[in-house]
Amino acid sequence: MMLRLRVSFPDRPGALGQAARVLGTLGADILQVTVLERESGRAVDDFTVSWPGTVDADTVRDRLSGVPGMRVEGVWPTREIPGAAPDYDLLKHVAADPGRAFATLVDAVPDLVSAEWAAILSSESGELLHRSWQAPRTLDETGGLAGVKAADLAPLRPAVLGSGRYRMMSVPVPGTGLHLVMARTDGPPFHRVELERAVRVLEIVSIMSRTP
């Protein structure tokens, strides 16, 4: 089982090692550590870890939170394979068929930011034009995004959003009247590092989609 853990702790020597030791006692194999921020005397890191079997996320959270000064911001499943280059794979497929650029994007971008699904929607009507397989079919689908208006998901600038059980982010597609929306139900709100990564990839895909 592979999980992503987002942990905040005092930015001081040895703090990262404390987190690693706790995870080790729980039988975790740490596959990757991603630094998200170092500000105001605290650090926020994402750990990608695996266990040989299933693991109780609450136990992981409780053990890490037992370390003085350490806070667990989220524990959630991830499909991102450490050491892989999903950004490059996505751009390769877009380059091979620019006419399907946005359909390819929504299929691949969830793995880039540990989202569950993604969709391209009309900024005005809210119609979902392309969606990954786990995305709701419409904004008002039962169990999906009931009560959400298109305007809520179409901010003027890239933004992290919340809608009921969803943690979301939305990025306008330049010059198209479209928005790329990504969502997850597990884990913390999207971090600005994840948002910036999605923005950069979308900018490149948008340029490639206009290639003759």
Side-chain angles (χ1 to χ4, degrees), residues 2-6 46-48 74-76 78 80 114 194:
M2 194 157 63
L3 294 177
R4 177 75 61 83
L5 315 174
R6 183 160 297 168
D46 272 5
F47 294 80
T48 303
V75 180
W76 72 104
T78 181
E80 185 175 352
S114 283
E194 294 171 306

Side-chain angles (χ1 to χ4, degrees), residues 113-133:
V113 293
S114 283
E116 293 172 19
W117 56 261
I120 292 283
L121 60 82
S122 165
S123 307
E124 183 175 352
S125 68
E127 179 185 0
L128 301 187
L129 305 176
H130 302 285
R131 62 186 183 90
S132 60
W133 70 276

Side-chain angles (χ1 to χ4, degrees), residues 134-147:
Q134 288 183 304
R137 290 187 295 273
T138 65
L139 289 184
D140 59 357
E141 179 185 353
T142 301
L145 297 171

Side-chain angles (χ1 to χ4, degrees), residues 35-140:
V35 177
L36 296 180
E37 64 181 70
R38 293 283 190 273
E39 295 178 356
S40 304
R42 293 193 67 81
V44 179
D45 288 358
D46 272 5
F47 294 80
T48 303
V49 299
S50 69
W51 275 268
T54 58
V55 64
D56 183 352
D58 289 335
T59 298
V60 176
R61 184 180 287 104
D62 290 345
R63 291 286 294 275
L64 284 170
S65 298
V67 178
M70 194 165 292
R71 297 197 302 264
V72 180
E73 298 185 0
V75 180
W76 72 104
T78 181
R79 300 192 301 267
E80 185 175 352
I81 301 173
D87 314 60
Y88 299 143
D89 291 337
L90 165 61
L91 297 177
K92 178 184 70 176
H93 291 301
V94 171
D97 190 356
R100 297 192 70 258
F102 293 131
T104 301
L105 175 67
V106 297
D107 284 340
V109 76
D111 288 345
L112 271 63
V113 293
S114 283
E116 293 172 19
W117 56 261
I120 292 283
L121 60 82
S122 165
S123 307
E124 183 175 352
S125 68
E127 179 185 0
L128 301 187
L129 305 176
H130 302 285
R131 62 186 183 90
S132 60
W133 70 276
Q134 288 183 304
R137 290 187 295 273
T138 65
L139 289 184
D140 59 357

